[in-house]
Amino acid sequence: MAADQPNIVLLFADDAGYGDFGFQGSQHFKTPHLDRLAKSGVRLTQFYVSGETCGPSRAGLLSGRYQQRFGYEEINVPGIMSPHSKLLGDEMGLPTHLKTMGNHLQDLGYRTAVFGKWHMGVADRYHPLRRGFDEFYGMRGGARSFFAYENLDQVAHENWIERDFENYQEHEGYLTNVIADEACDFIQRSDDAPFFAYVSFTAVHTPMQADPNDKDTFPQLEGTRRTAAQMMLALDRACGKIIDKLSDLGLSENTIVVFTNDNGGPMDTNGSSNYPLSGIKGTQLEGGIRVPGIISWPSKLKGNSVYESPLITLDLLPTFVAAGGGDPEAIEGLDGVNMLPFLQGKTDGRPHETLHWKMETRGAIREGDWKLLRYPDRPAELFDLAKDPAEQNDLARQHPEIVKRLFRDMFAWELELERPLFMLRRAEEGWSSRRTDQFRSPPAKEY
């Protein structure tokens, strides 16, 4: 089987703006390597995440299940936002009874590795090497400096750079570049088995720190927006280095390369832009949950093509398993579907007629092209995404029967869920206090 199994590389950005890529139409940000990847594969125009913040979104990605089903709804672990949550920090993580994407691919004979941000728990039992990955280089936490720390005693241990298990040593140079170099080294060494590389970049998450080599780029931009463009340039260059390594080793034709992001861009903290969508990270508007998506597999998927039906990051696990020779339908409880028959034109219709999002009392449901947004403090809103992807025209009053139907379907889904495992937070983290109407309108143009 190994001779036929594709290698798999998942390039995962952090807090990138929906519109901040050349293949997404940006006129300011430069992403030539990712633009080239998009031309080699399929661009997913309606690609979603299962959560509007980093931790829950990644829990869904790695499990192939709505994270609310196992209680990972509320919090970005580790919980370090208050004295109370500090006490629980080591207890927070992706539940250990769940098999991850790495576990399933190991079962199929893959060599697996994580590079960069883990963010699925800092306790040893949540460590990548105990969750289906053979190698790890990065940090257990969610954000850190892009440069080496001089005094680790002043830094939370989950943000130390770690190689495999408890081998801590700060990196040299700019972290985005180092992550790419480590991934390339893993690919170079993996010549005796198919491999899966989960390359989880920390860019373009805060802190806003650009590679010094890019300090003179984007003179037409200012402030945080300029720094974000420089960080994106470095991210694109790092992705290009990995893509070129595959080509140099003659692996491109039979390697699945996916590029996507963990949630919408925060905009107000990292200068990102979700244009032409409304909303930001932490909201369930399209700008908070719709993300760029590319999947390339030259030997199996037609290049320079577009797929326009809704897909979600939950679909990546069953897609990878199917591509690797496994049977995703034999995996109990998956919410994702194998994308390949749809992308290859072998199966008609939509992969998902219904998609869900939930955090605390806020919720959203998409059925067909109708999307309902439920709020704790004001009436629900209804949008026709086929005609209004920027969610500017609330149709709830014109279609009360659709509102009622979507509420019923939302409630029925919520009855299937577990109670949240981690419920300390929110006001201190800031997301729940944001009114989505503050970020209702997209920029008049890309800024």
Side-chain angles (χ1 to χ4, degrees):
M1 182 184 292
D4 299 323
Q5 289 171 297
N7 302 303
I8 302 170
V9 177
L10 174 54
L11 303 172
F12 209 60
D14 194 353
D15 279 7
Y18 180 81
D20 286 337
F21 300 87
F23 67 88
Q24 294 286 86
S26 178
Q27 299 299 309
H28 296 154
F29 282 35
K30 303 302 179 185
T31 55
H33 298 96
L34 290 171
D35 299 347
R36 175 163 50 94
L37 180 67
K39 289 182 179 179
S40 76
V42 185
R43 187 165 61 89
L44 311 175
T45 62
Q46 297 195 67
F47 198 46
Y48 289 96
V49 291
S50 60
E52 60 268 38
T53 55
C54 305
S57 170
R58 291 163 191 265
L61 166 80
L62 288 170
S63 68
R65 303 177 63 193
Y66 282 112
Q67 62 276 6
Q68 297 92 344
R69 292 197 187 279
F70 48 87
Y72 200 138
E73 174 182 331
E74 298 276 337
I75 203 163
N76 274 329
V77 298
I80 55 173
M81 292 298 175
S82 73
H84 303 291
S85 58
K86 281 182 180 178
L87 299 176
L88 296 176
D90 283 353
E91 301 304 315
M92 299 177 182
L94 184 66
T96 55
H97 70 277
L98 295 171
K99 292 185 71 171
T100 70
M101 185 182 288
N103 291 124
H104 290 293
L105 290 174
Q106 279 183 334
D107 291 344
L108 295 172
Y110 278 76
R111 183 191 303 276
T112 61
V114 179
F115 302 97
K117 175 175 175 174
W118 177 236
H119 209 206
M120 289 289 97
V122 301
D124 288 349
R125 64 184 176 278
Y126 300 125
H127 193 278
L129 298 193
R130 298 179 179 177
R131 305 307 305 274
F133 293 93
D134 299 307
E135 297 186 23
F136 172 57
Y137 182 87
M139 79 279 196
R140 302 188 195 189
R144 58 154 288 143
S145 171
F146 286 81
F147 302 98
Y149 291 117
E150 295 183 0
N151 187 354
L152 288 178
D153 292 339
Q154 299 178 2
V155 180
H157 76 277
E158 62 264 19
N159 292 325
W160 298 356
I161 293 294
E162 181 179 16
R163 184 181 298 279
D164 292 330
F165 187 74
E166 292 190 344
N167 180 11
Y168 296 104
Q169 183 176 358
E170 285 294 282
H171 63 289
E172 296 182 7
Y174 188 65
L175 183 57
T176 301
N177 302 334
V178 174
I179 291 172
D181 289 340
E182 292 288 336
C184 287
D185 179 69
F186 170 75
I187 292 169
Q188 181 78 48
R189 291 185 285 105
S190 299
D191 56 359
D192 59 344
F195 60 80
F196 167 50
Y198 171 33
V199 188
S200 179
F201 291 103
T202 58
V204 290
H205 195 292
T206 55
M208 303 307 293
Q209 297 172 334
D211 185 335
N213 293 323
D214 296 323
K215 62 182 177 62
D216 296 325
T217 58
F218 304 100
Q220 75 277 22
L221 301 177
E222 298 179 349
T224 304
R225 183 69 175 160
R226 183 181 185 188
T227 305
Q230 293 169 339
M231 294 171 70
M232 184 67 77
L233 183 66
L235 172 66
D236 177 79
R237 193 165 54 234
C239 291
K241 181 178 292 188
I242 295 169
I243 295 167
D244 288 344
K245 173 60 71 172
L246 295 170
S247 178
D248 293 343
L249 296 175
L251 301 175
S252 297
E253 282 295 307
N254 197 35
T255 298
I256 298 173
V257 180
V258 171
F259 175 80
T260 189
N261 190 47
D262 60 348
N263 44 246
M267 292 180 66
D268 55 337
T269 60
N270 76 345
S272 56
S273 170
N274 295 322
Y275 181 83
L277 306 175
S278 295
I280 67 170
K281 174 183 179 179
T283 74
Q284 291 164 352
L285 294 164
E286 292 292 285
I289 56 176
R290 191 188 292 199
V291 293
I294 301 170
I295 178 168
S296 173
W297 188 6
S299 66
K300 299 292 185 181
L301 296 176
K302 182 181 179 181
N304 200 24
S305 57
V306 174
Y307 188 79
E308 296 184 341
S309 291
L311 291 163
I312 192 167
T313 49
L314 303 176
D315 299 331
L316 292 178
L317 188 154
T319 301
F320 294 164
V321 168
D327 180 8
E329 294 186 4
I331 302 174
E332 184 177 356
L334 288 186
D335 290 302
V337 302
N338 175 15
M339 299 187 294
L340 294 175
F342 298 94
L343 300 180
Q344 293 170 335
K346 297 178 180 179
T347 300
D348 295 328
R350 294 191 178 199
H352 300 277
E353 186 59 31
T354 304
L355 293 172
H356 294 276
W357 297 269
K358 179 181 182 296
M359 186 173 283
E360 296 179 330
T361 55
R362 293 181 296 141
I365 181 173
R366 174 172 178 165
E367 285 190 356
D369 290 323
W370 289 110
K371 180 181 175 185
L372 180 79
L373 286 160
R374 182 185 70 194
Y375 302 104
D377 56 352
R378 58 194 185 279
E381 297 174 334
L382 179 70
F383 300 98
D384 181 354
L385 295 180
K387 300 176 181 177
D388 182 23
E391 296 166 293
Q392 299 296 292
N393 185 21
D394 178 14
L395 301 175
R397 290 188 178 183
Q398 290 95 313
H399 298 282
E401 73 288 353
I402 296 177
V403 172
K404 291 178 182 179
R405 173 170 58 84
L406 294 181
F407 260 118
R408 285 195 298 267
D409 293 346
M410 181 184 291
F411 292 149
W413 177 73
E414 288 178 325
L415 289 174
E416 303 172 1
L417 308 179
E418 295 288 341
R419 296 186 64 180
L421 292 171
F422 321 119
M423 297 187 67
L424 292 172
R425 94 143 199 276
R426 302 306 293 178
E428 294 171 58
E429 236 181 294
W431 298 113
S432 64
S433 62
R434 295 181 171 197
R435 291 179 60 93
T436 55
D437 54 2
Q438 181 181 354
F439 307 99
R440 164 64 63 200
S441 298
K445 59 181 179 179
E446 184 205 357
Y447 72 96

